[in-house]
Amino acid sequence: MRFFLDTANLDELRAGASWGILDGCTTNPSLIAKEGIPIAERIRQITEIVDGDISAEVVATDCEGMLKEGRPLAAIHKNIVVKVPLTRDGIKACSIFSKEGIRVNVTLCFSAGQAILAAKAGAYFVSPFVGRVDDTGWDGIQLIRDICGIYKNYGFSTQVLSASLRTVNHVIDSAKAGAHVGTMPFKVMNSLFDHPLTDRGLEQFLKDHAKAFQPPAR
Ligand code: E4P
């Protein structure tokens, strides 16, 4: 499973990259707005930190507008994946981008039927929103399982990017369900490291080592 950070914050991306486990990054208009830096500039900065796929989302809602915004974003760097919403115009734009060799992440996916449309349009990624599905009382992880199963049945090459992950268990369960990628906020990636038995075990190892090898205090 590839690990992406779901952020446009450079400090968080630098920290994730420094651990050597960061495979890419996803952004969306809300995350870009939070940073207050125009998208093209921020995406260019991210390419200097992240060595992997970087999703840059369009804000146009019509196909022509998406194409006009997406092409220059794709030209920023070879790692850019243009992100479009799962609407009729988004799927149409995805088909055109795919034929042009521009990789697309189809976002705001909330059903397996929508995910089939994205795959048929040649999407590189489809992004089902686990946390937001859970919020509605449905099962976000079951959606990941369903999409992975359907893609396998038909040999679709679209990768399932499990998005809107809010907890460590969302990450683990997405991996169990077969998601190719998990994109998560920095807080969730940071929490993956933690286990009380790791802390307790390390403390004991160091205590035993010190007892055996440190000279007794006078
Ligand atoms: C990423 O591609 C999505 O835009 C993001 O994961 C949505 O997450 P949220 O539901 O926490 O806003």
Side-chain angles (χ1 to χ4, degrees):
M1 189 194 212
R2 288 200 281 158
F3 270 15
F4 288 7
L5 270 174
D6 197 19
T7 184
N9 182 278
L10 301 186
D11 289 335
E12 292 182 348
L13 289 165
R14 278 189 202 103
S18 75
W19 292 327
I21 51 143
L22 186 64
D23 302 305
C25 156
T26 48
T27 64
N28 63 35
S30 306
L31 294 170
I32 292 287
K34 203 165 133 194
E35 299 302 316
I37 308 284
I39 181 159
E41 190 182 336
R42 181 42 54 110
I43 293 293
R44 207 164 287 121
Q45 293 166 333
I46 294 175
T47 62
E48 285 163 17
I49 300 169
V50 177
D51 184 18
D53 293 333
I54 299 161
S55 288
E57 188 163 343
V58 299
V59 289
T61 54
D62 64 300
C63 178
E64 268 315 303
M66 289 183 203
L67 297 174
K68 222 186 258 172
E69 259 182 66
R71 286 174 184 137
L73 286 174
I76 292 175
H77 194 278
K78 64 174 173 42
N79 287 347
I80 304 304
V81 180
V82 175
K83 210 169 165 196
V84 303
L86 209 156
T87 58
R88 286 170 181 78
D89 279 75
I91 290 296
K92 193 168 154 187
C94 177
S95 305
I96 297 170
F97 279 137
S98 303
K99 283 181 192 113
E100 291 177 2
I102 292 175
R103 296 178 305 156
V104 180
N105 177 353
V106 178
T107 189
L108 290 166
C109 173
F110 293 92
S111 79
Q114 289 181 317
I116 296 173
L117 295 175
K120 289 180 72 68
Y124 179 67
F125 289 134
V126 67
S127 291
F129 279 29
V130 173
R132 293 196 201 184
V133 169
D134 283 358
D135 290 343
T136 66
W138 292 75
D139 184 347
I141 293 297
Q142 185 56 45
L143 175 61
I144 301 295
R145 252 181 242 122
D146 288 347
I147 298 171
C148 289
I150 291 168
Y151 280 9
K152 213 170 177 187
N153 286 347
Y154 293 96
F156 285 129
S157 59
T158 302
Q159 295 179 52
V160 179
L161 192 160
S162 197
S164 187
L165 302 180
R166 309 237 174 98
T167 63
V168 163
N169 280 343
H170 273 162
V171 178
I172 297 167
D173 291 339
S174 294
K176 284 188 193 166
H180 302 86
V181 185
T183 190
M184 62 206 85
F186 181 78
K187 203 175 93 187
V188 173
M189 190 177 278
N190 199 32
S191 299
L192 281 167
F193 286 90
D194 300 330
H195 199 287
L197 291 181
T198 304
D199 298 341
R200 216 185 302 159
L202 183 59
E203 201 186 318
Q204 188 64 50
F205 285 159
L206 296 180
K207 230 191 258 168
D208 292 344
H209 190 269
K211 220 191 289 167
F213 295 108
Q214 268 172 18
R218 288 186 203 183

